Amino acid sequence: MVARPPTESVVPAAPSLLTPFAEPAAGWTRRHLLDVDTFSRGEIAQVLDTAGAMAEVLSRKVARTPALNGVTIFNLFYEASTRTRSSFELAGKILGADVINVSGSGSSIEKGESLIETLNTIAAVGADAVVMRHGASGAPWLAARTIPGHIINAGDGQHAHPTQALLDAFVLREEFGDLTGRQIVIVGDILHSRVARSNIWSLTTLGAQVTLVAPRPLLPAALAPGASQPEHPLGLPNVRVCADLDDAIVGADAVMALRIQNERLRGKLLPSTAEYARRYQITAERMSQAAPHAIVMHPGPMNEGVEIAVDVAHSPQSRIEAQVSAGLAVRMAILFLLIRGSA
Ligand code: CP
């Protein structure tokens, strides 16, 4: 028997730790994720497929892959967050990146440093990518013009929350496969909801029919019922506005409740929480009118007992925890595609 050369390892190589992320992200050309309004169906599918591969990494005994070794990611959060911030932090770490958190409190933002100066500082320290949440709509677009790194919008004002929309699409695709013709009801504070705005773009691009339900004060003026109401709000043929949740929910495949954003309402627009709950809360009785296979979603954090009944939030129909779990895989996918793509 020929002796094994001493240089040859008897320990098998571990390609599974690297694959499928050892190569650059083929076919991905976007540098930033600012919103999903210009995403094609193919691009959304690529994110969701990549997230599926990331979910496989997460299922491994050692859930780590060195796809972003040597990359520095800053989480720059001017507004509170639990899900988005923690999942982006974990996503970066699982992919082997260095992740640094900067928030309003405890940083020089507290001393009055401007957004642009903070961005320039982060860039000078060596940020390859900045995950950014800011109260001002459009702030990530300013960042993308200001510094050279990749910018990921983790929620800007009342405008967009693209990773929430993508994780919602991931959960819906897991549930239903192709979303063409699926009836999705989004109910609640549409006026202040960046989640609703981004979901409208992604869900309609994927072929779903979206029904928006809200009391009139919580609808954007462009969507409020009236003489000037366009036949298709936002120019999108598969979006409609319905004043009555009991009408809208009949036969729905998925019902997404939005949080009443008390911090943005400041006591205005919604004089009575009890009246709101009576007309717009997702209850078991209302869900009985949806399709038998219907699921309930909520981006969180929830006001249980206001926009969603406690028993519904924790029922077998609820996919609220699945949404949080999907957030990790989807954010890993976004970091990988943007940073290892060709742009
Ligand atoms: N859905 C969402 O953005 O939650 P967080 O504010 O906790 O990040």
Side-chain angles (χ1 to χ4, degrees):
M1 186 175 157
V2 179
R4 190 186 292 275
T7 51
E8 187 180 334
S9 171
V10 293
V11 179
S16 63
L17 196 68
L18 288 167
T19 55
F21 308 114
E23 301 297 326
W28 186 264
T29 56
R30 286 184 189 265
R31 180 163 180 72
H32 309 294
L33 175 61
L34 301 176
D35 197 1
V36 285
D37 55 345
T38 60
F39 269 45
S40 67
R41 199 170 180 144
E43 286 176 302
I44 296 174
Q46 187 171 1
V47 174
L48 305 190
D49 291 345
T50 307
M54 294 298 178
E56 189 279 321
V57 170
L58 294 172
S59 71
R60 295 177 189 171
K61 198 167 174 188
V62 179
R64 288 287 183 279
T65 183
L68 297 185
N69 267 1
V71 168
T72 301
I73 299 169
F74 273 75
N75 274 341
L76 177 60
F77 276 64
Y78 284 78
E79 284 190 333
S81 168
T82 300
R83 292 152 199 78
T84 313
R85 180 174 156 157
S86 60
S87 58
F88 264 119
E89 180 174 352
L90 190 53
K93 287 177 174 170
I94 290 171
L95 294 170
D98 293 316
V99 183
I100 295 158
N101 292 306
V102 177
S103 60
S105 86
S107 73
S108 288
I109 296 166
E110 262 187 336
K111 302 176 196 165
E113 187 172 65
S114 71
L115 171 59
I116 287 188
E117 198 46 40
T118 298
L119 288 167
N120 285 333
T121 302
I122 286 172
V125 170
D128 297 298
V130 180
V131 178
M132 184 176 170
R133 174 170 287 189
H134 199 282
S137 299
W141 279 256
L142 175 67
R145 290 200 305 269
T146 303
I147 57 171
H150 302 270
I151 303 297
I152 298 155
N153 183 0
D156 65 316
Q158 301 171 22
H159 179 226
H161 196 347
T163 59
Q164 180 69 44
L166 291 166
L167 75 86
D168 290 340
F170 184 88
V171 169
L172 286 161
R173 195 177 78 159
E174 290 280 293
E175 197 71 35
F176 300 120
D178 185 357
L179 298 188
T180 304
R182 291 289 179 183
Q183 304 285 334
I184 317 289
V185 173
I186 302 178
V187 53
D189 185 359
I190 309 279
L191 178 65
H192 297 102
S193 180
R194 53 197 178 203
V195 173
R197 280 173 183 73
S198 288
N199 259 305
I200 288 167
W201 296 121
S202 54
L203 293 174
T204 54
T205 298
L206 293 172
Q209 304 281 326
V210 176
T211 302
L212 305 172
V213 185
R216 188 170 181 150
L218 297 185
L219 272 176
L223 298 181
S228 63
Q229 168 78 5
E231 187 184 356
H232 300 302
L234 310 170
L236 296 169
N238 40 359
V239 175
R240 70 179 180 126
V241 177
C242 185
D244 188 336
L245 177 57
D246 293 309
D247 289 342
I249 208 166
V250 175
D253 296 294
V255 183
M256 187 183 297
L258 300 173
R259 183 171 69 88
I260 289 295
Q261 300 193 27
N262 291 309
E263 74 278 21
R264 296 192 213 273
L265 288 169
R266 293 183 198 91
K268 291 182 247 169
L269 301 175
L270 202 60
S272 163
T273 303
E275 175 64 8
Y276 176 84
R278 191 180 68 76
R279 292 192 56 194
Y280 298 100
Q281 185 182 94
I282 307 300
T283 60
E285 189 183 348
R286 287 194 164 114
M287 282 308 295
S288 72
Q289 300 304 306
H293 55 254
I295 61 170
V296 176
M297 303 171 76
H298 191 302
M302 291 184 278
N303 299 300
E304 294 187 33
V306 180
E307 66 261 7
I308 187 165
V310 176
D311 59 337
V312 174
H314 303 283
S315 70
Q317 287 177 295
S318 172
R319 295 294 178 275
I320 296 167
E321 284 182 14
Q323 289 173 269
V324 177
S325 301
L328 179 56
V330 166
R331 288 170 179 132
M332 287 169 69
I334 285 298
L335 291 174
F336 174 72
L337 289 169
L338 294 179
I339 296 169
R340 291 289 184 240
S342 60

